[in-house]
Amino acid sequence: MRTASKPRRRPTPVLPVPHRSPAARPAPGRGQRSITQPLCAAAFLAAYPLGMWQGSQGGEYAVQLAGHILSPESYTAWQSVAAALLSGTFLTLLCVFAAGFCAVGTGLLCLVFAVQGGYLGFCAAAVCLQNGAKALLVYRALLSFPELATLALCLWLARYAGRLCAGLNQSIFAGGAARGRLQADARRLTLRFLLAAALSVGVSAVGAGVAVFAAGILL
């Protein structure tokens, strides 16, 4: 007796899974890296005229600040000028570094740069109000280099602080960051902070030398 052969079942075709190359995947935090520095720069530029407006109102503090900036006695000792510049630069860098360890640190970074811009605008307006446009040019000659160098260092450090903020934000609100990303970003930010702190020593030393030299000529 012939056994009836069972019909063969055709294998179900396996649909090919589209392969997404690593290059096509969005890099973690790329969007945050691209907007952190522009946002910080925009906060600085927005706060600068507000500080100028506040400084143009006058007041006892504005008078005292302008007198201190334009006093020849403030630039007699290179060591004291360098120490004052270094303390201000290091404090700002420390604030940027600390903001990187917060999930909403991008807003804190913008606040740091807004305070920095507002204070510098206040200083410029106070000097111009008390002693005129010539005194403002003297102020620029004395302190433009350390102020611009500090701003550049802080913006550079804010890029890496923004990356860590993005990772923390994703870890808390978006289901978690990639494995090892937070540790890598924290280590990268720490190393950049140490490098920026070392560079701030050189910036303060050179800025103090320029200020003392210019004060000997212009004040």
Side-chain angles (χ1 to χ4, degrees), residues 64-201:
Q64 293 178 354
L65 182 62
H68 173 74
I69 291 175
L70 298 178
S71 174
E73 289 75 15
S74 300
Y75 305 95
T76 54
W78 173 85
Q79 294 86 349
S80 62
V81 178
L85 293 176
L86 180 60
S87 61
T89 302
F90 183 79
L91 179 61
T92 309
L93 290 173
L94 186 61
C95 291
V96 174
F97 174 72
F101 290 88
C102 181
V104 292
T106 301
L108 295 178
L109 288 171
C110 292
L111 179 61
V112 170
F113 281 87
V115 171
Q116 185 182 16
Y119 177 74
L120 294 182
F122 183 89
C123 292
V127 169
C128 186
L129 179 67
Q130 299 300 323
N131 303 90
K134 183 179 179 180
L136 180 61
L137 295 177
V138 173
Y139 164 69
R140 294 302 185 194
L142 293 173
L143 299 175
S144 285
F145 172 76
E147 290 176 354
L148 293 176
T150 299
L151 177 61
L153 283 176
C154 291
L155 282 173
W156 176 69
L157 187 63
R159 174 185 178 185
Y160 299 96
R163 293 180 62 177
L164 182 57
C165 292
L168 290 171
N169 188 280
Q170 183 180 356
S171 180
I172 296 174
F173 302 108
R179 179 179 298 178
R181 178 190 168 189
L182 294 180
Q183 293 81 354
D185 287 343
R187 182 171 58 253
R188 189 177 295 112
L189 174 60
T190 302
L191 293 176
R192 265 58 176 189
F193 169 71
L194 294 176
L195 178 58
L199 290 175
S200 68
V201 176

Side-chain angles (χ1 to χ4, degrees), residues 34-61:
S34 63
I35 66 172
T36 299
Q37 287 175 310
L39 283 177
C40 292
F44 180 91
L45 294 176
Y48 193 89
L50 294 177
M52 292 186 65
W53 174 81
Q54 184 65 33
S56 64
Q57 304 302 309
E60 183 179 356
Y61 180 73

